[in-house]
């Protein structure tokens, strides 16, 4: 990243109300080992969710933060690099921890990733433990090979599949190295949402409070909201741009398929609530005419989808700052505020269950939650946050106040 962030357009779309002063609830993060160059402050918290500001050599970013991902240099301003995205000609290649760090040192990104051994989360048997222990051995080789610790922040990656014992072993081993930050890897590989969220909950609870937490390969909006509620800070995924290549746009109501014939005469913006250049300039019909025959359509939708994800990040950040995180979760999930179980069932059936593969426990959780709220819905935000945490981290249900 080569330019400073704009400060004049940082007001949250969530609300025009003033957010809390930056000095309120500021908690400085302790400096990382080896004089790493990142510094950050936790500006505010809501239970486990937290809003922070990280200062890197080339950028100041606010968390929760979604980081766009592109391969083969498609996105040249990516702040986090991984040597596993290096282009190859298809010939066999041996990538060692030392070579991985050497490549990333040359790239010069503010945050670089240790080489890990990744297996699909649906894998069973001894291969999962083998990969986890290899990842632990490799972290020491990555640290030893790191030639720019004063300029680049080396993050370790927690592995262990869906096994809570292996995840715990890996977290404890990696945190002993006192690195600038930690990533949770090996997820979003075909496992069900319930298992995925439980692993995130376990890892964020065990990782240091004073270091950034990065959930790798996560790009669905709902996953980002839930993982942020569990204390994660950073995310990356090809989902927004990959979805755009198939002619689909991300909107608050769900995925809008611009290739559909119904879009051919729709003169509305892609998302009437979005302020991005694409939504201010082009109609759905125009985008439809492009995505069926011109690469420009995919590029415009990529622009919109990335804007949508970055706006989601900003809204999460400011909702925590404002102390309005539970209310924002309701807005994000677009749940009705009345005490109507059937209405919520309709929302989930229409907007979430078929598209994001929401597991039955989460659905039952929200429906049972509505039956105990007051008719005005005033108790909903507090209970919603607690029930999400109960579902994904096995916390006991709190007593009603």
């Amino acid at each position: 990243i080569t330019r400073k962030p704009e400060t004049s357009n940082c007001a949250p779309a969530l609300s025009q109300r003033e957010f809390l002063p930056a000095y309120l609830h500021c908690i400085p993060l302790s400096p990382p080992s080896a004089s790493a160059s990142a510094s950050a402050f936790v500006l505010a918290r809501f239970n486990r969710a937290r809003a922070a500001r990280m200062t890197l050599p080339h950028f100041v970013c606010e968390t929760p933060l979604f980081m766009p991902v592109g391969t083969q240099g498609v996105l040249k301003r990516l702040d986090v690099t991984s040597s596993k995205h290096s282009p190859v000609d298809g010939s066999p290649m041996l990538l060692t921890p030392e070579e991985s760090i050497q490549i990333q040192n040359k790239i010069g990104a503010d945050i670089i990733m240790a080489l890990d051994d990744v297996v699909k989360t649906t894998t069973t048997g001894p291969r999962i433990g083998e990969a986890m222990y290899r990842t632990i051995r490799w972290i020491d080789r990555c640290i030893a090979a790191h030639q720019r610790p004063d300029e680049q922040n080396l993050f370790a990656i927690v592995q262990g599949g869906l096994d809570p014992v292996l995840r715990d072993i890996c977290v404890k081993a990696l945190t002993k190295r006192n690195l600038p930050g930690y990533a949770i890897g090996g997820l979003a590989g075909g496992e069900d949402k319930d298992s995925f969220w439980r692993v995130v909950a376990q890892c964020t609870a065990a990782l240091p409070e004073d270091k950034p937490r990065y959930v790798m390969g996560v790009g669905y909006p709902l996953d980002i909201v839930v993982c942020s509620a569990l204390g994660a800070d950073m995310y990356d995924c090809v989902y927004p741009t990959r979805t755009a290549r198939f002619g689909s746009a991300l909107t608050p109501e769900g995925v809008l398929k611009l290739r559909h014939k119904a879009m051919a005469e729709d003169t509305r913006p892609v998302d009437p609530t979005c302020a991005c250049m694409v939504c201010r300039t082009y109609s759905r019909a125009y985008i439809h005419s492009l995505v069926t025959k011109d690469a420009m359509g995919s590029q415009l939708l990529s622009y919109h989808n990335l804007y949508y994800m970055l706006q989601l990040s900003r809204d999460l950040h400011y909702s925590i700052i404002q102390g309005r995180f539970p209310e924002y979760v309701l807005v994000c999930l677009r749940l009705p505020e009345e005490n109507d179980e059937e209405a919520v069932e309709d929302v989930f059936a229409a907007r979430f269950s078929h598209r994001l593969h929401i597991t039955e426990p989460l659905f039952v959780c929200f429906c049972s939650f509505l039956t105990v709220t007051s008719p005005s819905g005033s108790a909903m935000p507090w209970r919603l946050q607690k029930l999400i945490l109960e579902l994904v981290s096995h916390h006991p249900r709190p007593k009603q106040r």
Side-chain angles (χ1 to χ4, degrees):
I1 293 176
T2 58
R3 63 179 178 85
K4 294 183 178 180
E6 298 176 0
T7 57
S8 59
N9 296 322
C10 291
L14 174 66
S15 171
Q16 295 301 320
R17 296 184 227 171
E18 283 190 1
F19 52 87
L20 299 177
Y23 59 81
L24 196 60
H25 306 305
C26 281
I27 305 173
L29 299 182
S30 62
S33 62
S35 302
S37 52
S39 62
F41 290 90
V42 174
L43 304 177
R45 299 176 186 270
F46 192 95
N47 291 342
R48 292 172 66 173
R50 57 195 205 167
R53 180 176 295 122
M54 288 201 307
T55 302
L56 300 168
H58 300 96
F59 192 57
V60 177
C61 56
E62 295 176 333
T63 68
L65 172 66
F66 177 79
M67 301 174 291
V69 172
T71 57
Q72 297 183 357
V74 172
L75 297 176
K76 300 181 185 301
R77 291 185 175 180
L78 186 62
D79 193 47
V80 179
T81 68
S82 172
S83 58
K84 288 170 283 189
H85 288 163
S86 299
V88 295
D89 60 5
S91 59
M93 174 181 176
L94 175 64
L95 183 63
T96 65
E98 291 78 11
E99 186 173 1
S100 168
I101 298 301
Q102 182 183 23
I103 293 171
Q104 295 181 86
N105 282 162
K106 289 180 179 179
I107 293 173
D110 292 343
I111 297 174
I112 63 176
M113 308 305 299
L115 185 66
D116 59 340
D117 186 3
V118 186
V119 295
K120 289 192 64 173
T121 48
T122 53
T123 303
T124 59
R127 179 68 180 93
I128 301 175
E130 174 190 351
M132 186 275 294
Y133 282 110
R134 179 174 291 118
T135 297
I136 295 175
R137 293 195 301 272
W138 281 357
I139 188 62
D140 292 323
R141 294 172 61 181
C142 289
I143 293 172
H146 190 13
Q147 298 298 310
R148 302 176 63 182
D150 294 336
E151 305 167 75
Q152 296 178 287
N153 298 274
L154 176 62
F155 280 30
I157 304 175
V158 178
Q159 291 292 346
L162 302 179
D163 189 322
V165 175
L166 294 180
R167 287 281 178 176
D168 187 58
I169 293 172
C170 197
V171 167
K172 290 179 178 178
L174 296 180
T175 53
K176 289 180 180 179
R177 274 69 176 178
N178 192 28
L179 293 164
Y182 297 90
I184 302 170
L187 294 174
E191 75 280 1
D192 61 82
K193 292 289 186 183
D194 189 40
S195 300
F196 161 57
W197 286 333
R198 291 184 192 280
V199 171
V200 173
Q202 176 190 355
C203 293
T204 54
L207 288 170
E209 281 285 328
D210 59 348
K211 303 293 176 66
R213 303 159 180 168
Y214 165 27
V215 185
M216 305 182 74
V218 171
Y220 288 132
L222 178 62
D223 287 340
I224 291 177
V225 172
V226 174
C227 291
S228 296
L230 295 170
D233 303 308
M234 304 159 63
Y235 315 92
D236 79 305
C237 190
V238 299
Y239 173 68
T241 50
R242 183 183 60 200
T243 300
R245 290 202 307 272
F246 290 111
S248 297
L250 304 179
T251 74
E253 285 72 31
V255 176
L256 182 67
K257 298 182 179 180
L258 276 302
R259 289 179 179 268
H260 198 281
K261 292 181 179 179
M263 299 289 108
E265 298 181 1
D266 194 332
T267 58
R268 292 175 294 172
V270 173
D271 177 5
T273 67
C274 179
C276 79
M277 175 272 295
V278 175
C279 292
R280 287 187 287 107
T281 308
Y282 304 105
S283 67
R284 296 180 180 184
Y286 178 72
I287 300 294
H288 169 81
S289 69
L290 292 178
V291 295
T292 56
K293 57 185 179 182
D294 193 320
M296 178 60 71
S298 298
Q299 294 171 5
L300 291 175
L301 288 179
S302 292
Y303 184 101
H304 163 77
N305 286 353
L306 292 177
Y307 185 98
Y308 178 89
M309 297 302 296
L310 295 176
Q311 187 64 56
L312 173 67
S313 299
R314 286 191 290 268
D315 288 347
L316 284 168
H317 176 86
Y318 283 106
S319 70
I320 299 170
I321 293 287
Q322 295 169 349
R324 301 182 62 245
F325 181 68
E327 290 88 341
Y328 178 69
V329 171
L330 287 176
V331 173
C332 188
L333 297 181
R334 306 187 73 80
L335 292 175
E337 296 187 1
E338 66 273 12
N339 187 22
D340 186 343
E341 184 172 343
E342 291 185 2
V344 170
E345 184 173 351
D346 291 341
V347 169
F348 269 85
R351 294 175 178 162
F352 294 105
S353 299
H354 70 289
R355 178 166 50 86
L356 295 180
H357 309 294
I358 301 304
T359 55
E360 183 178 355
L362 180 62
F363 175 78
V364 173
C365 169
F366 278 106
C367 289
S368 62
F369 153 73
L370 283 180
T371 63
V372 298
T373 56
S374 63
S376 65
S378 59
M380 185 178 296
W382 179 79
R383 297 180 193 278
L384 173 63
Q385 175 72 1
K386 294 296 184 182
L387 286 171
I388 288 178
L389 294 179
E390 176 189 350
L391 173 70
V392 296
S393 58
H394 296 288
H395 288 335
R397 185 167 182 170
K399 295 181 180 179
Q400 298 183 11
R401 296 182 181 178

